[in-house]
Amino acid sequence: SIQQTRGIKTLNFGGSLEKVYERSDWPKQKVLDYFKDDTIAVLGYGPQGHGQGLNLRDNGLNVIVGVRKDGRSWKKAVAEGWVPGKNLFTIEEAADKGSIVLNLLSDAAQRDLWPTIKPFITPGKTLYFSHGFAITYKEQTHVEAPAGVDVVLCAPKGSGTTLRTLFLEGKGLNSSIAVFQDVSGKAHERVQALGVAIGSGYLYETTFAKEVYSDLYGERGVLMGAINGLFRAQYDVLRAQGHSPSEAFNETVEEATQSLYPLIGAKGMDWMYANCSVTAQRGALDWHQKFYDASLPVFKDLYESVKNGTESQRALDKNSQADYRESLEVELEEIRQAEIWRAGETVRSLRPENNKK
């Protein structure tokens, strides 16, 4: 594919020139040679730890995993082929053994376990993050870049689960990269190589702060929070006007996810518009500005809430509660039991591919 054959390029993104890095700049053998003397320690086995760890292992690198012994993540890692004492260790052991330490613990766990991990991040090592959270909000996390080590970031633009799935399909998620501290003078090339090794598509440059600001903003915005709110609002109005749950769901969610959004993903918004009826085109063109005007103030408030640390502090506070998993399940069950998503379960079951005998 084109992506596989191009290398470092400066490309035009909507009128702005940006440098990107692609897999062809780091062929597999070059990556293997580059890291031949390294032990890559993956701390945490949540979505990112799982996805990046398995991809690194499948790419032939010397990878170990560090998690709490005999905990849920430990048992999952064992089930997926990691061997205690060989490439599966406690967090402290893995951090000690690793020359490159991938801190892929949850944001709250990075804060809580930093005093435990920090003594093992000794001069000459590389400390790697996939989120700018801990370093950017250091007043809240107390995670400071240790002296004498390179501190880098590679942030896949999606979940670790998707990163793994696409890797197995020969594809890749795009990732942002950043260097916070370059002691060796080689931090930038090292994070490029790591980005390719974990299964990224192309890599683009950012900073730790910009990564976490855009990430938290996007998740609360159109990626998750805003889209859920818009789906609910449209569905509720249709139901209040007498439309059936099936019709309301199809006109709100099913058509979006199965028909229209894939067109946007393939060739852009204009392509989606061009492949709809004249009536649909006219309505969308007439109404999109009204939605823009209505939502812009909300998005401005959201970005400020992210930038000033309100969102990060709330996330840390909530995630640190002893009953967080239980309270989260209550919130998810509320979504699950909402009529819109119960209707969606039935709609999905009727898709031809889900109804094969």
Side-chain angles (χ1 to χ4, degrees):
S1 70
I2 294 175
Q3 187 179 70
Q4 299 287 343
T5 57
R6 289 197 311 236
I8 299 173
K9 285 273 194 301
T10 299
L11 300 177
N12 188 319
F13 288 83
S16 296
L17 296 179
E18 294 184 37
K19 187 180 292 184
V20 299
Y21 307 87
E22 298 185 272
R23 291 177 179 176
S24 59
D25 194 53
W26 287 93
K28 186 173 181 178
Q29 190 57 53
K30 182 179 178 180
V31 170
L32 291 172
D33 291 342
Y34 190 82
F35 293 119
K36 64 181 173 22
D37 297 323
D38 284 301
T39 296
I40 301 175
V42 175
L43 306 186
Y45 206 65
Q48 287 296 339
H50 163 265
Q52 295 190 36
L54 289 177
N55 290 357
L56 287 163
R57 188 178 74 180
D58 286 357
N59 270 330
L61 299 177
N62 180 25
V63 189
I64 62 176
V65 169
V67 292
R68 183 170 59 84
K69 189 173 183 179
D70 296 327
R72 181 170 56 180
S73 293
W74 179 281
K75 294 173 182 176
K76 181 180 180 182
V78 169
E80 294 182 337
W82 302 93
V83 181
K86 179 182 178 182
N87 52 22
L88 178 61
F89 301 93
T90 66
I91 291 173
E92 297 89 337
E93 290 171 331
D96 185 33
K97 292 176 181 295
S99 56
I100 301 173
V101 179
L102 278 57
N103 192 344
L104 301 180
L105 297 161
S106 71
D107 294 323
Q110 288 189 27
R111 176 196 60 183
D112 297 341
L113 293 176
W114 182 241
T116 301
I117 297 169
K118 184 179 179 180
F120 301 105
I121 311 300
T122 51
K125 291 191 175 187
T126 295
L127 178 61
Y128 165 114
F129 295 89
S130 280
H131 201 10
F133 193 106
I135 292 291
T136 301
Y137 298 115
K138 61 182 181 180
E139 292 82 6
Q140 297 170 353
T141 65
H142 309 295
V143 176
E144 298 269 3
V149 304
D150 290 346
V151 181
V152 301
L153 172 146
C154 180
K157 297 300 104 180
S159 75
T161 302
T162 307
L163 181 74
R164 177 61 177 167
T165 300
L166 292 178
F167 175 85
L168 293 174
E169 295 174 353
K171 303 175 183 177
L173 280 178
N174 299 329
S175 300
S176 59
I177 56 173
V179 174
F180 186 82
Q181 189 165 282
D182 185 4
V183 174
S184 69
K186 298 181 178 180
H188 201 275
E189 69 178 35
R190 188 173 295 119
V191 75
Q192 291 173 40
L194 285 166
V196 170
I198 66 167
S200 300
Y202 80 82
L203 306 168
Y204 64 93
E205 297 177 339
T206 187
T207 67
F208 273 62
K210 287 181 179 177
E211 188 283 327
V212 71
Y213 293 166
S214 60
D215 188 70
L216 268 61
Y217 174 75
E219 291 165 348
R220 285 149 181 77
V222 297
L223 300 180
M224 296 173 67
I227 200 65
N228 187 20
L230 286 170
F231 280 159
R232 285 178 53 209
Q234 177 163 311
Y235 180 91
D236 287 351
V237 169
L238 286 169
R239 290 290 288 124
Q241 292 296 322
H243 297 267
S244 70
S246 175
E247 184 170 55
F249 188 87
N250 271 283
E251 293 292 353
T252 299
V253 180
E254 192 74 352
E255 186 173 349
T257 59
Q258 301 303 298
S259 174
L260 302 181
Y261 292 175
L263 294 174
I264 300 172
K267 293 189 177 180
M269 185 68 71
D270 61 310
W271 176 252
M272 186 264 282
Y273 277 31
N275 283 275
C276 292
S277 70
V278 173
T279 302
Q281 292 169 355
R282 187 68 269 144
L285 290 167
D286 289 346
W287 275 86
H288 92 274
Q289 188 65 41
K290 295 179 182 179
F291 282 106
Y292 176 89
D293 293 340
S295 62
L296 185 61
V298 179
F299 280 106
K300 287 182 176 179
D301 288 346
L302 171 57
Y303 192 88
E304 182 57 32
S305 187
V306 168
K307 190 174 182 179
N308 66 26
T310 299
E311 296 301 312
S312 56
Q313 188 62 58
R314 175 169 170 76
L316 288 170
D317 291 344
K318 292 288 288 186
N319 295 351
S320 299
Q321 294 174 357
D323 65 344
Y324 174 71
R325 291 189 183 278
E326 292 77 10
S327 61
L328 172 64
E329 181 53 35
V330 171
E331 291 179 289
L332 294 180
E333 182 65 14
E334 184 178 344
I335 295 174
R336 195 177 296 123
Q337 292 304 321
E339 184 189 271
I340 179 175
W341 301 115
R342 286 188 289 114
E345 185 176 5
T346 304
V347 171
R348 288 191 298 275
S349 72
L350 292 170
R351 292 176 187 165
E353 67 270 22
N354 295 332
N355 200 29
K356 295 177 180 178
K357 295 183 179 179

